[in-house]
Amino acid sequence: MTVAKTGAEHIASLRDGRTVYIDGTLVEDVTAHPAFRNVVQSSAALYDFQAKPENIELMTFMPEGSNRRVNRAWQMPRSYEEMVTRRKALQAWSRVHFGFMGRSPDHVASALIGQRMGIEVFRKHGPQRAKALEDYVDYATKTDLFLTYVIINPQAERAKNWGDQVPDLVARIVDEDSSGITIRGAKMLGTSSIMANEVLVANLQPLKPGEEDLAFSCALPMNAKGIRVLSRKSYEAAAVSVFDNPLSSRFDENDALIYFDDVKVPWDRLFVYRDTDVCRQQFHDTWGHSYQNYQAQIRLSVKLRFLAGLARRLTEAIGTTNIPSVGEKLGYMAAQAAMVEAMLSGMEASGSKAGEYWVPNKHFMYSAQVLTQDLYPQFINAIRELSGGAMIMLPSSIKDFSDPMLNKIIHTTQRAANLEPEDKVKFLKACWDAVGSEFGSRHQQYEMFYAGARFVTAGHSFRTYDWNGATAMVENLMASYSLSDELDEVKH
């Protein structure tokens, strides 16, 4: 056995008979299918990265009671220093995929350890449910699982409550016996479910009294009987080549609807049972929501740094770097990217102890979340503005280079001061894949809405801000003078 989980082990674990559909067909093996095989390799590369001898200390730790090291995403920091060490590991992992895998294994791991830190919420719900969560987090940690989650319901009739939607739309409890419950219905958005080992099923959206059949949380293997994964269109499958689509051909983690067709959930895998309020508490009264979105900002800090670098290289490729207005634009983008990194440092340094664990400053985390929802599309638009028409007039595909006449024309027309023609085309293809392709458009939509609509994220910011401290200063100002005192002053 190796010191830590490797890519080969992860790929082998995905050949488990899971039920995945794309383009109307059942996928026999996700590790070999042309819609998924490259991103499966990309997920495996994360584990190979952590298993390299030079990365072992940076990327992994030894859980108590284990004989094998696991990724630091599973580490529950007990101090500020441990939180920073963990963050550096997560940033290093994000650099492997340039920040484009939003549901890399460290995301749901972060959600789960945050919930584990708030185990008292589950203990109040019931000792059996608390033990189920504790045991599961211990198991997931020691086996270094790759988890996805489905925690929102399919969009439907907005005027109706979730419990009043058409039958079998929203996943609900339809039966139970001595061995567990049975669930039927759908959940979204199973991003990375294609290459995950297991799925956490929960409810992030509020439920109401009377919707107890919908109020559950559990974890299941992706090959559990009755789980059906309906993949969206694969950008990987549509990619012409790595040269033409260097990002979408390798990092399309995919999104999917997961339908639970009478899936059995054993009691020891059930964390919330028929309690609408505990569904909310699972995320917001524990540190689950804080840790999962703190991880998202860690990843985004890497992605914005990559995009800033892309913007700088773009201006160098087309010879505009020294134009004052271009320098101003690049400087502003650099300030924005650095702001996100600074906010990460702020979340950590101004964090606090919650029991035995160190947790990030919740309001600083939500502030970053609100601001970066606008920041990402600003970055994409800035790159578009800096490029002009450079990303449009490119060869149709790598095949154009194989025709001598076309190759000569390409070398004549694709000129740059510091790049050979083929290198300029290669770079501009990467730019387009990041900001203009269908893959790039999906990422803009994702970064704007993965944490919820603006009113949702701004609502979290509103609830967690120190309004008492802010308004107290206003009251102090108001108390420092009065109309009568001022009138007396005038009389004298």
Side-chain angles (χ1 to χ4, degrees):
M1 182 181 289
T2 55
V3 176
K5 181 178 177 180
T6 65
E9 289 177 66
H10 183 62
I11 291 173
S13 73
L14 302 182
R15 299 188 180 106
D16 58 4
R18 62 188 59 201
T19 303
V20 176
Y21 297 91
I22 189 168
D23 296 328
T25 60
L26 175 64
V27 177
E28 291 186 9
D29 180 357
V30 295
T31 71
H33 194 280
F36 311 121
R37 61 192 176 199
N38 289 349
V39 74
V40 167
Q41 290 291 333
S42 294
S43 67
L46 296 174
Y47 293 107
D48 283 336
F49 180 83
Q50 75 172 16
K52 288 181 179 180
E54 64 268 29
N55 294 335
I56 282 289
E57 186 58 38
L58 167 67
M59 296 301 304
T60 67
F61 76 108
M62 185 77 78
E64 186 177 342
S66 177
N67 62 355
R68 197 181 193 197
R69 298 179 73 91
V70 302
N71 192 269
R72 286 193 185 274
W74 294 105
Q75 189 170 10
M76 293 186 279
R78 287 176 164 80
S79 66
Y80 163 72
E81 290 76 18
E82 284 191 359
M83 174 174 273
V84 171
T85 298
R86 179 181 180 275
R87 183 251 298 162
K88 289 179 179 178
L90 270 54
Q91 284 180 315
W93 237 11
S94 290
R95 285 193 289 272
V96 176
H97 53 80
F98 312 101
F100 280 91
M101 292 178 70
R103 288 293 182 270
S104 49
D106 44 329
H107 183 74
V108 180
S110 297
L112 272 176
I113 65 165
Q115 292 175 27
R116 173 62 182 81
M117 292 175 190
I119 194 64
E120 288 303 320
V121 166
F122 296 90
R123 287 177 180 155
K124 291 176 184 177
H125 179 46
Q128 290 178 315
R129 305 284 67 80
K131 185 177 188 306
L133 183 77
E134 285 182 289
D135 290 348
Y136 184 74
V137 173
D138 184 62
Y139 163 72
T141 298
K142 290 177 179 176
T143 51
D144 212 352
L145 284 184
F146 185 159
L147 280 101
T148 185
Y149 59 22
V150 282
I151 57 177
I152 62 173
N153 299 318
Q155 290 186 354
E157 296 184 58
R158 295 296 181 95
K160 291 183 178 180
N161 293 330
W162 292 118
D164 297 329
Q165 302 293 336
V166 296
D168 301 337
L169 173 68
V170 180
R172 67 174 64 228
I173 300 170
V174 294
D175 195 14
E176 64 179 77
D177 57 28
S178 59
S179 62
I181 65 170
T182 300
I183 60 175
R184 182 190 305 150
K187 283 282 186 178
M188 297 166 53
L189 296 161
T191 306
S192 284
S193 57
I194 305 302
M195 62 269 198
N197 299 120
E198 302 210 358
V199 57
L200 174 68
V201 189
N203 286 276
L204 186 61
Q205 294 157 305
L207 296 175
K208 298 179 180 180
E211 296 179 330
E212 284 75 17
D213 285 350
L214 280 63
F216 68 91
S217 173
C218 63
L220 294 163
M222 285 302 304
N223 66 345
K225 183 180 179 181
I227 290 183
R228 307 189 189 283
V229 180
L230 279 66
S231 170
R232 63 149 163 79
K233 172 184 176 180
S234 168
Y235 307 138
E236 175 181 324
V240 178
S241 68
V242 175
F243 184 92
D244 289 292
N245 304 97
L247 296 171
S248 55
S249 64
R250 295 181 292 175
F251 302 115
D252 180 22
E253 59 193 342
N254 221 280
D255 310 289
L257 180 139
I258 297 185
Y259 191 82
F260 300 90
D261 193 0
D262 288 358
V263 177
K264 191 74 175 186
V265 182
W267 291 113
D268 63 1
R269 286 297 193 97
L270 190 66
F271 315 135
V272 177
Y273 174 62
R274 294 186 182 278
D275 191 315
T276 55
D277 194 43
V278 175
C279 286
R280 176 196 61 80
Q281 293 174 5
Q282 177 177 8
F283 291 94
H284 295 291
D285 290 3
T286 69
W287 292 96
H289 203 244
S290 293
Y291 259 86
Q292 72 190 55
N293 288 298
Y294 165 55
Q295 181 277 339
Q297 293 300 311
I298 292 172
R299 175 195 57 79
L300 187 61
S301 72
V302 173
K303 194 174 185 181
L304 291 178
R305 181 179 280 261
F306 169 81
L307 290 174
L310 201 71
R312 173 61 188 259
R313 286 290 305 275
L314 175 63
T315 64
E316 292 172 352
I318 61 179
T320 59
T321 309
N322 294 326
I323 297 175
S325 60
V326 171
E328 178 186 4
K329 176 77 75 176
L330 291 174
Y332 191 65
M333 293 177 74
Q336 290 174 311
M339 176 189 72
V340 176
E341 294 191 46
M343 292 186 80
L344 278 177
S345 297
M347 292 176 215
E348 297 160 353
S350 62
S352 59
K353 266 296 189 74
E356 60 185 302
Y357 304 110
W358 191 265
V359 297
N361 182 304
K362 186 175 285 191
H363 181 70
F364 285 8
M365 183 276 293
Y366 285 131
S367 298
Q369 194 174 68
V370 172
L371 295 174
T372 53
Q373 280 183 300
D374 282 345
L375 183 57
Y376 192 83
Q378 288 175 25
F379 253 61
I380 298 304
N381 287 336
I383 293 172
R384 285 175 174 274
E385 289 173 4
L386 289 169
S387 72
M391 296 188 291
I392 297 176
M393 293 310 300
L394 293 171
S396 57
S397 79
I398 193 174
K399 294 179 182 178
D400 287 346
F401 286 93
S402 63
D403 182 286
M405 180 190 68
L406 298 179
N407 187 46
K408 182 178 180 181
I409 293 174
I410 292 169
H411 278 74
T412 301
T413 57
Q414 295 290 343
R415 311 301 300 176
N418 61 345
L419 289 173
E420 292 298 317
E422 58 265 31
D423 292 329
K424 180 182 179 183
V425 172
K426 178 182 178 181
F427 171 70
L428 291 176
K429 289 271 190 180
C431 288
W432 181 251
D433 209 19
V435 307
S437 67
E438 195 168 3
F439 171 85
S441 297
R442 179 265 179 195
H443 273 266
Q444 179 165 336
Q445 195 77 1
Y446 177 86
E447 299 295 359
M448 291 172 67
F449 291 106
Y450 76 85
R454 164 58 65 81
F455 74 89
V456 174
T457 56
H460 294 321
S461 178
F462 177 81
R463 286 188 294 274
T464 56
Y465 187 61
D466 179 18
W467 290 110
N468 289 335
T471 57
M473 288 194 292
V474 177
E475 296 306 319
N476 288 340
L477 173 63
M478 295 296 100
S480 68
Y481 62 95
S482 69
L483 177 60
S484 60
D485 288 343
E486 292 299 302
L487 290 175
D488 288 343
E489 200 63 38
V490 171
K491 290 176 182 178
H492 292 91

